Amino acid sequence: MTQIETNNEGEDKKSLNFIEQIVEADLKAGKNGGRLSTRFPPEPNGYLHIGHAKAICIDFGIAEKFGGTCNLRFDDTNPVKEDVEYVDSIKEDIHWLGFDWGDRLYYASDYFPKLWDLAIRMIKEGKAYVDEQSSEEIARQKGTPTQPGIESPYRNRSVEENLDLFERMNKGEFEEGRFVLRAKIDMASPNMHFRDPIMYRIIKHPHHRTGTKWNVYPMYDFAHGQSDYFEGVTHSICTLEFEVHRPLYEYFVKELADDSYCPRQIEFNRLNLTYTVMSKRKLLQLVKEGLVAGWDDPRMPTLCGLRRRGYTPESIKNFIQKIGYTKYDGIISVSLLEHSIREDLNKTATRVSAVLNPVKLIITNYPEGQVEYLDIENNPEDPEAGTHKIPFTRELYIERDDFMENPPKKFFRLAPDQEVRLKAAYIIKCTGVKKDADGNIEEIYCEYDPDTRSGMPGSMRKVKGTLHWVSAQYSSTAEVRLYDRLFNVENPSEEKDVDFRELLNPDSLKVIDNCRIEPYLAENAKPGDRFQFQRTGYFCVDPDSTEGHLVFNRTVSLKDSWEKLKSK
């Protein structure tokens, strides 16, 4: 892909993607009076997902970069699938990403009267007709890419009859599917979309904005370009599946536009992620069938799901910037998205101690009843983040996996007669264990070296392992939800011989209800806050949290275990 360099109002030179190159060239050529206006046109029939974020970033971002405007327009032309709930969630998600449409909020339904008038005009000019064949008959007559279509027997109705039928369609005199309005273009066109496409169909369902005023609703191909024109949109940016629709977009737009102003459609590659489905239909199935906990389930690729999981707007925008915009579809590794959130949270998240699978550790030579408050760095990446204190006592909790009675070689954690450092505290040595009747370890005993506290001369003694811990006396319990990838195959959409629901990862959620957390975390964590649990991963406080019962969602582990497994 050819790239050019630009020096935009004194900014450093940066390479432009192919869409930005087109926009810059159009502006330099003075097209559309030198204006730039884009739009983001979601259908209010579901929640936005990470693929929509890619579109939002180019639609709003290119307007910001070149001093233009970006509209938010809801493509609300199918009342059966639409809901105000989706409208509200879409607005929230766009604002969360850091973009704003100002006073430019529109709906395709705003243009129903104008679209109706245009349809009437096209009927009068012999460019549209009412067809009463079934959808199956119309599909059969469309032909194939190598075989021309067959004209409808109703194609040459009189203008008067077409006007009468179209008016009666909208008055509700006919059932759904009884009639459609089609554009009269060319049934022999090599472009299948030109073979008399449907412009209007009958839908008898109340619209969330217009109620029961309309019984006919425009199809996307007829409504979209005209809506762009009515709003003054100059660059209609969309994904590659609309490339084949572009000639029809241009055909309909030219019923209104002239040389002084005409919207231009540009297509880019959509975002496909490994271990993920992006189909709104499939995501809706997951929600309706209770296979996930809702649209904002942290395993979902929806923006509200990613937000609840702990993703930041910056991480998503950085990820989209890294993958870029091209004319070629492909699939992006979800590991790159996970890398983006690790990169962001590594710079900003406070480090805390949390033990997910606790086992008691008793320091037998530490004075009973003594408490030391040790300093822990809030974030070693940010010296200005400061420190907080953590209580150190005789009895602690450590991770059960950090101890092995008969360890293999290169096990650098705690084992009999082996030394480790307790983070920000002392070096300890294991002296024994206590087991229950079934042989499970209940308590680990050790001794500490009082000269090895962090900051003291003895702390320089080398040991190979460092463990995190919390005080048994001062720690609190919390619920932790360990989220993983929703599907257990890399490209679930390509698995044609199996129902996609059978590909769900049974281990995509594990709930731990006896995690132990340090006092600083228990006292300061609020829903939406993000932390790094030392040596474990990044976690976000879930809205399900209540006073005395904190719930944490794992955003991402510290390292990518999936890529490691795949490479074996």
Side-chain angles (χ1 to χ4, degrees):
M1 182 176 66
T2 305
Q3 293 191 324
I4 62 173
E5 298 290 317
T6 182
N7 193 345
N8 191 15
E9 295 183 358
E11 291 179 2
D12 293 336
K13 287 187 176 182
K14 294 179 181 177
S15 61
L16 302 179
N17 64 47
F18 81 98
I19 303 171
E20 292 167 338
Q21 291 176 35
I22 291 170
V23 167
E24 185 184 60
D26 284 352
L27 290 173
K28 282 182 177 176
K31 288 186 180 179
N32 304 307
R35 286 189 310 107
L36 170 62
S37 177
T38 61
R39 85 291 168 269
F40 176 62
E43 295 176 75
N45 61 0
Y47 282 67
L48 298 183
H49 55 58
I50 183 95
H52 295 111
K54 184 176 180 182
I56 290 167
C57 286
I58 193 69
D59 289 329
F60 283 91
I62 212 163
E64 285 182 5
K65 184 166 189 171
F66 290 95
T69 59
C70 182
N71 304 342
L72 170 60
R73 180 177 72 242
F74 288 99
D75 179 21
D76 55 347
T77 56
N78 187 355
V80 175
K81 296 181 178 179
E82 295 158 5
D83 198 288
V84 176
E85 172 194 350
Y86 300 136
V87 171
D88 293 340
S89 73
I90 288 167
K91 290 179 185 176
E92 182 182 0
D93 286 343
I94 295 170
H95 276 147
W96 177 70
L97 278 175
F99 299 108
D100 188 72
W101 52 89
D103 59 356
R104 298 175 305 281
L105 173 61
Y106 304 109
Y107 296 81
S109 54
D110 293 338
Y111 312 122
F112 283 173
K114 289 183 177 181
L115 291 166
W116 170 269
D117 289 345
L118 177 58
I120 293 290
R121 193 190 94 194
M122 290 179 69
I123 292 172
K124 288 178 178 178
E125 293 174 357
K127 297 176 180 176
Y129 64 96
V130 174
D131 198 343
E132 57 187 275
Q133 297 181 102
S134 69
S135 58
E136 292 78 16
E137 287 174 313
I138 291 173
R140 277 197 302 271
Q141 291 174 356
K142 276 286 183 95
T144 68
T146 57
Q147 184 179 8
I150 299 168
E151 291 187 358
S152 164
Y154 306 100
R155 196 172 195 263
N156 296 310
R157 289 185 195 271
S158 69
V159 168
E160 292 72 26
E161 191 178 359
N162 281 320
L163 288 172
D164 175 63
L165 286 171
F166 192 46
E167 292 277 4
R168 291 166 64 194
M169 284 165 62
N170 194 42
K171 286 176 181 173
E173 292 185 23
F174 308 114
E175 293 306 307
E176 292 185 7
R178 179 75 175 82
F179 292 101
V180 292
L181 182 70
R182 296 176 71 179
K184 188 190 290 189
I185 307 179
D186 181 4
M187 289 301 291
S189 172
N191 186 331
M192 297 284 288
H193 294 281
F194 273 15
R195 296 183 185 179
D196 291 9
I198 295 171
M199 295 166 59
Y200 273 89
R201 75 285 207 206
I202 300 170
I203 299 178
K204 292 189 169 183
H205 191 284
H207 189 280
H208 70 101
R209 295 187 75 240
T210 60
T212 56
K213 180 178 178 180
W214 298 92
N215 287 298
V216 293
Y217 289 89
M219 298 294 288
Y220 175 88
D221 280 329
F222 179 61
H224 192 74
Q226 319 312 310
S227 298
D228 284 345
Y229 178 83
F230 296 143
E231 284 173 23
V233 169
T234 59
H235 295 80
S236 184
I237 306 167
C238 52
T239 45
L240 274 177
E241 65 264 34
F242 293 100
E243 187 171 29
V244 292
H245 295 251
R246 193 199 318 149
L248 190 56
Y249 175 98
E250 293 168 348
Y251 173 88
F252 281 131
V253 160
K254 282 171 183 172
E255 289 294 324
L256 298 167
D258 57 27
D259 291 340
S260 66
Y261 159 58
C262 185
R264 175 179 185 176
Q265 180 175 301
I266 308 167
E267 308 85 17
F268 65 90
N269 61 324
R270 64 182 293 164
L271 172 57
N272 297 301
L273 275 180
T274 55
Y275 301 99
T276 311
V277 296
M278 293 292 199
S279 159
K280 274 201 280 190
R281 179 182 59 81
K282 289 180 178 177
L283 295 177
L284 181 61
Q285 276 181 273
L286 293 176
V287 172
K288 285 194 167 179
E289 294 173 19
L291 297 169
V292 293
W295 285 101
D296 67 343
D297 186 304
R299 293 167 291 181
M300 292 277 274
T302 53
L303 293 182
C304 56
L306 290 165
R307 179 162 65 243
R308 187 170 181 179
R309 186 154 173 170
Y311 276 78
T312 61
E314 293 74 23
S315 67
I316 291 172
K317 288 190 280 192
N318 288 341
F319 163 70
I320 289 165
Q321 188 175 18
K322 284 173 186 170
I323 62 175
Y325 296 84
T326 72
K327 276 283 192 180
Y328 309 99
D329 270 332
I331 188 164
I332 302 293
S333 173
V334 73
S335 296
L336 188 57
L337 175 62
E338 293 166 346
H339 172 75
S340 291
I341 188 60
R342 284 191 191 98
E343 196 173 47
D344 190 25
L345 293 182
N346 183 52
K347 293 181 281 190
T348 59
T350 299
R351 275 54 167 171
V352 292
S353 292
V355 178
L356 305 191
N357 186 14
V359 62
K360 187 168 278 189
L361 177 83
I362 300 174
I363 306 172
T364 53
N365 65 333
Y366 192 85
E368 289 194 46
Q370 180 169 304
V371 185
E372 288 180 83
Y373 287 91
L374 308 177
D375 287 321
I376 294 273
E377 273 187 301
N378 285 332
N379 189 331
E381 303 294 318
D382 179 10
E384 295 183 8
T387 62
H388 69 271
K389 295 194 178 293
I390 183 171
F392 184 86
T393 53
R394 186 173 189 265
E395 296 188 3
L396 308 173
Y397 286 116
I398 64 168
E399 294 285 357
R400 190 171 288 275
D401 290 346
D402 279 343
F403 177 80
M404 287 187 76
E405 217 176 349
N406 299 295
K409 285 183 179 180
K410 297 189 176 180
F411 181 78
F412 297 130
R413 286 169 277 176
L414 193 59
D417 295 322
Q418 195 159 303
E419 287 189 325
V420 296
R421 169 172 293 286
L422 296 177
K423 177 79 175 173
Y426 298 94
I427 293 173
I428 59 169
K429 184 176 185 179
C430 176
T431 57
V433 298
K434 175 187 174 185
K435 299 181 181 179
D436 63 17
D438 296 322
N440 299 310
I441 293 171
E442 286 185 324
E443 293 175 348
I444 301 165
Y445 302 112
C446 65
E447 293 181 350
Y448 84 119
D449 182 342
D451 294 328
T452 58
R453 194 177 81 182
S454 292
M456 297 176 69
S459 67
M460 302 305 290
R461 182 150 60 84
K462 298 290 184 185
V463 290
K464 289 186 175 177
T466 299
L467 309 185
H468 65 283
W469 51 272
V470 294
S471 163
Q473 182 181 350
Y474 293 101
S475 61
S476 307
T477 58
E479 178 183 328
V480 171
R481 299 170 182 173
L482 299 177
Y483 290 102
D484 213 326
R485 298 175 184 181
L486 187 54
F487 290 90
N488 56 19
V489 295
E490 190 167 70
N491 193 353
S493 299
E494 287 299 306
E495 303 285 335
K496 304 299 183 188
D497 298 327
V498 61
D499 189 300
F500 82 104
R501 288 164 290 199
E502 295 176 29
L503 304 172
L504 289 168
N505 175 13
D507 297 321
S508 63
L509 171 59
K510 293 179 180 177
V511 179
I512 303 171
D513 55 14
N514 64 335
C515 173
R516 306 291 299 199
I517 60 173
E518 62 162 290
Y520 173 84
L521 186 55
E523 292 162 9
N524 291 284
K526 302 183 298 298
D529 288 351
R530 303 173 185 91
F531 298 91
Q532 186 199 97
F533 287 6
Q534 301 270 13
R535 300 176 61 236
T536 306
Y538 294 99
F539 291 77
C540 178
V541 186
D542 190 83
D544 286 346
S545 297
T546 57
E547 192 172 347
H549 181 74
L550 285 170
V551 180
F552 293 90
N553 299 328
R554 182 170 67 186
T555 306
V556 68
S557 58
L558 281 185
K559 294 181 180 177
D560 188 345
S561 55
W562 279 78
E563 287 297 312
K564 196 181 292 183
L565 285 170
K566 201 169 73 171
S567 64
K568 285 185 178 179

